[in-house]
Amino acid sequence: MIKNKSVFIKNIYYMLSYAFQALNQSTYEDVGVEEFDDMYNLFASIMSKGIGVRLKRGLYREYLNCQEELWVMRGKINIAGTIKNKLAHKRTLTCEYDELLENNYMNQILKTTVLLLLMSNKVGLVYKDDLKKKMMFFSNVDTLEPKTIKWTSIRFQRDNYDYRMLIGICWLIIEGMLITTDKGRYKLASFIDEQRMCRLYERFILEYYKRNFTSLAVSASQIHWVLDENNEGETMLPVMRSDITLRKGNNILIIDAKYYTHTTREYYDKRTLHSNNLYQIFTYVKNKDYSFGNKPHKVSGMLLYAKTDEEIQPNNIYQMHGNQITVRTLDLNLEFVKITEQLNKIVIEHFP
């Protein structure tokens, strides 16, 4: 897919900059101008800069429950533990108390991810040295088994909100690049898997339109099923949520962003679109269309694929039952200004 690897790596940085707005801070300016020929060094540089910023304020700490045998009471007494001590002729109390500690889940995720980067022979020595210095401040932080991390359990609040971008990078590395060797050890792949890259691709396009087209209402909105009256079991219908919805008045464009190794499928020696993608966008468009009733409106749909190096690339417009469905590719292997031109053109065509 990639003809010029350094250009593509650079564009991953720009995509991350939109997905995680913290990357636009002055702290990361030198990352933005640096040339990377590998994702490892890009991620290592971002992690190092982000952790460095947090260290100036101190690592995030939270109250954790501790249990310890002490000579004097602290917190509350654990009765069962204290009785056990008495039976063993120990003159100590088993106490339970809360303490503000750095050894919390978020810092454990950061340390686990950095150690994976340090173990990789693809990360440059300059970045490794920088990360090792940062890890000196994590001496009291434990590591985790990477595959057991419960990402959905993480909650951000005011005093740890700057971790949001760093945890997002950790998720991309561990969930998108981590593979297990024959010996049961972990190593990082030289690519991000399709599923995680697709999530980044969707988020980038959504945030790009939000930031650059303020005259439009931009969202990843839910589309409701338009049902006849007296329908039972409505709650069992699947939720329809668009990747990107652009709206100006009653003019709506629903975009489904797709990142695949192959943008088309071969069926009996014929290249066809992914049928489930087409069915999905058509369902979104028709239900949104019907929701307007007799009001003047225009609802269109688009499948926006990341361009591959395949010979046949979809670039078609279909009129389907009164609605326009466009299938187009976005070339991510160009200078970023050319990528923005492609995205801008979509808006100009649909919202003249």
Side-chain angles (χ1 to χ4, degrees), residues 206-300:
L206 176 67
E207 296 300 330
Y208 176 82
Y209 282 134
K210 276 185 178 180
R211 196 182 307 177
N212 293 287
F213 289 91
T214 55
S215 63
L216 301 178
V218 182
S219 64
S221 60
Q222 183 175 339
I223 298 164
H224 298 283
W225 292 93
V226 178
L227 303 172
D228 295 336
E229 293 182 3
N230 302 320
N231 269 282
E232 296 182 1
E234 181 178 348
T235 56
M236 296 187 68
L237 290 171
V239 174
M240 294 188 291
R241 185 172 295 280
S242 64
D243 294 339
I244 304 105
T245 297
L246 308 180
R247 179 169 185 162
K248 189 170 186 178
N250 287 348
N251 186 359
I252 294 174
L253 174 63
I254 301 171
I255 300 175
D256 244 11
K258 303 296 182 185
Y259 189 100
Y260 294 149
T261 305
H262 302 288
T263 54
T264 58
R265 301 174 65 181
E266 187 170 351
Y267 188 73
Y268 289 108
D269 298 324
K270 179 183 176 182
R271 304 303 302 186
T272 65
L273 299 170
H274 293 269
S275 56
N276 57 327
N277 295 164
L278 200 55
Y279 298 153
Q280 183 181 37
I281 192 68
F282 182 73
T283 304
Y284 287 2
V285 167
K286 293 312 294 184
N287 276 274
K288 192 66 181 178
D289 186 36
Y290 293 147
S291 70
F292 281 97
N294 294 323
K295 296 178 183 177
H297 66 278
K298 177 184 177 183
V299 180
S300 306

